[in-house]
Amino acid sequence: MTSEVVENEFEFYSKAEKYWKDVPATVDGMLGGYGHISSIDINSSRKFLQRFLRDGPNRTGTTRALDCGAGIGRITKRLLLPLFKTVDMVDVTEDFLTKAKSYLGEEGRRVHNYYCCGLQDFSPEPNSYDVIWIQWVIGHLTDNHLSDFLKRCRAGLRPNGIVVIKDNMAQEGVIMDDVDSSVCRDLDVVRKIIRRAGLHLLAEERQENFPDEIYHVYTFAMR
């Protein structure tokens, strides 16, 4: 649990904010030097997401999506805008959201809100989103803040909406990264936090074709 590795909560958050302020506002910056994996990532995410958007009685809508930890809008641009009418973005780094306005190009006009805020302090508008996408950012939240944030996400869903987490998974326990002030949790810990937030897992998938040296990456869909 994060309580075992995060000694000072204020420091945990402020150090992460400082780290991201110094990261270049580029796709390579967003992916920690692994910009070349972006297309593999997006293509897998699209396949995962589309199973919920197909026809059926419980089909997830395509009106509005929220990109959490959005950075410059890599996921907004290539995954969410092609599938949803409008997208909102939230990120703690103002420079990234400023860059997003040019990076997204003409399609960026369909991004209605740019929220500059840490997820521990952010509340999605209730009953508003078909999909809330949370990628490579849960490590910047303590367990309690992550659970509380997921509860607020649950309230932010429209009927048949889903919350998606895509992130690194540790082999065992919780590992602290002092460089960017984040934690990496194992699958069991993440599943427990999801349950604690009152969410039900609909699907879970391991990302394939990523470099061997990085953490395993898993995608979860829940409501």
Side-chain angles (χ1 to χ4, degrees):
M1 306 298 275
T2 51
S3 56
E4 291 164 19
V5 293
V6 176
E7 289 172 16
N8 182 318
E9 202 174 88
F10 175 79
E11 208 172 85
F12 175 67
Y13 286 112
S14 57
K15 197 174 166 188
E17 278 192 50
K18 186 174 181 302
Y19 170 84
W20 286 105
K21 275 196 172 84
D22 294 332
V23 168
T26 61
V27 169
D28 210 40
M30 300 303 97
L31 294 175
Y34 283 88
H36 60 284
I37 69 170
S38 187
S39 289
I40 298 167
D41 168 58
I42 295 288
N43 291 338
S44 297
S45 294
R46 189 182 300 113
K47 277 184 197 155
F48 182 88
L49 187 51
Q50 278 175 329
R51 72 177 86 167
F52 297 98
L53 307 181
R54 293 191 192 110
D55 290 336
N58 297 316
R59 187 175 75 87
T60 298
T62 55
T63 302
R64 193 176 177 198
L66 174 65
D67 185 358
C68 299
I72 63 169
R74 181 185 72 91
I75 291 162
T76 289
K77 180 173 183 162
R78 296 193 54 198
L79 176 68
L80 301 177
L81 281 172
L83 295 171
F84 296 88
K85 288 193 181 83
T86 66
V87 178
D88 290 341
M89 294 170 57
V90 55
D91 196 274
V92 76
T93 307
E94 198 164 356
D95 285 354
F96 294 165
L97 295 175
T98 301
K99 172 70 176 182
K101 289 166 188 174
S102 57
Y103 171 73
L104 293 171
E106 187 61 23
E107 291 299 297
R109 69 187 187 281
R110 293 190 291 113
V111 175
H112 284 189
N113 295 294
Y114 296 85
Y115 298 109
C116 187
C117 187
L119 298 184
Q120 70 276 17
D121 299 315
F122 182 72
S123 293
E125 204 181 309
N127 193 33
S128 295
Y129 296 103
D130 297 297
V131 169
I132 297 177
W133 193 274
I134 309 165
Q135 183 162 345
W136 279 322
V137 68
I138 65 168
H140 285 301
L141 297 176
T142 63
D143 291 348
N144 288 339
H145 281 157
L146 177 54
S147 175
D148 289 346
F149 175 61
L150 290 175
K151 285 175 190 168
R152 298 194 296 274
C153 287
R154 195 181 73 198
L157 293 178
R158 288 157 58 99
N160 297 322
I162 57 169
V163 177
V164 178
I165 287 175
K166 186 168 187 179
D167 221 302
N168 301 337
M169 297 294 137
Q171 290 285 69
E172 190 179 349
V174 179
I175 299 164
M176 182 79 189
D177 184 337
D178 282 321
V179 176
D180 67 355
S181 191
S182 69
V183 296
C184 186
R185 302 168 173 93
D186 71 25
L187 279 166
D188 283 344
V189 173
V190 173
R191 289 188 197 115
K192 273 179 195 154
I193 293 169
I194 289 168
R195 284 197 300 272
R196 202 169 106 198
L199 287 158
H200 171 66
L201 260 180
L202 304 172
E204 178 182 312
E205 182 177 283
R206 183 176 159 191
Q207 172 71 49
E208 294 178 350
N209 302 317
F210 268 8
D212 290 338
E213 71 271 16
I214 66 174
Y215 283 116
H216 293 167
V217 172
Y218 279 78
T219 311
F220 307 87
M222 61 208 94
R223 64 163 65 105

